[in-house]
Amino acid sequence: MLPQLCNRTDRRSLCFLLAALGMLLLPHFMPWSAWLAQHAANTMAQWTLTILWLALASLFCFIASIINHNHMHCPMFRSKWPNFACNLLLS
């Protein structure tokens, strides 16, 4: 059974957290060099894609820090252990 959220709007926060985690884990599970060699013909395109990823990852991490601040004041879940797990994810 899934843990219950305190507020319905916390679903949006969880989606942003999962997106931020996905953005940070993306380079570890996607072979960037092979993908860039196939899709980016020159080094300028490679730098553009790298800077784009860095900007998006930074934006999502900034949003995650705001969610962390709100989570410290008003926990997302009703029970203790899902809140603890969320704190670990956010730290």
Side-chain angles (χ1 to χ4, degrees):
M1 185 150 120
L2 292 173
Q4 290 186 346
L5 295 171
C6 289
N7 194 346
R8 288 181 53 199
T9 58
D10 287 333
R11 289 183 290 181
R12 179 180 37 196
S13 297
L14 285 177
C15 288
F16 270 110
L17 290 178
L18 291 176
L21 183 63
M23 288 296 290
L24 291 177
L25 293 177
L26 183 67
H28 297 288
F29 292 106
M30 185 175 187
W32 280 107
S33 58
W35 187 84
L36 285 174
Q38 290 176 350
H39 293 85
N42 57 16
T43 56
M44 187 62 175
Q46 293 175 358
W47 277 106
T48 303
L49 288 174
T50 302
I51 291 171
L52 179 66
W53 172 81
L54 185 62
L56 285 174
S58 298
L59 175 69
F60 276 82
C61 287
F62 178 73
I63 293 170
S65 69
I66 295 170
I67 293 170
N68 183 24
H69 175 82
N70 292 337
H71 179 67
M72 291 297 149
H73 293 291
C74 182
M76 283 191 233
F77 300 101
R78 292 185 182 178
S79 60
K80 177 182 176 181
W81 292 108
N83 282 320
F84 182 73
C86 190
N87 284 336
L88 284 178
L89 177 68
L90 287 168
S91 63

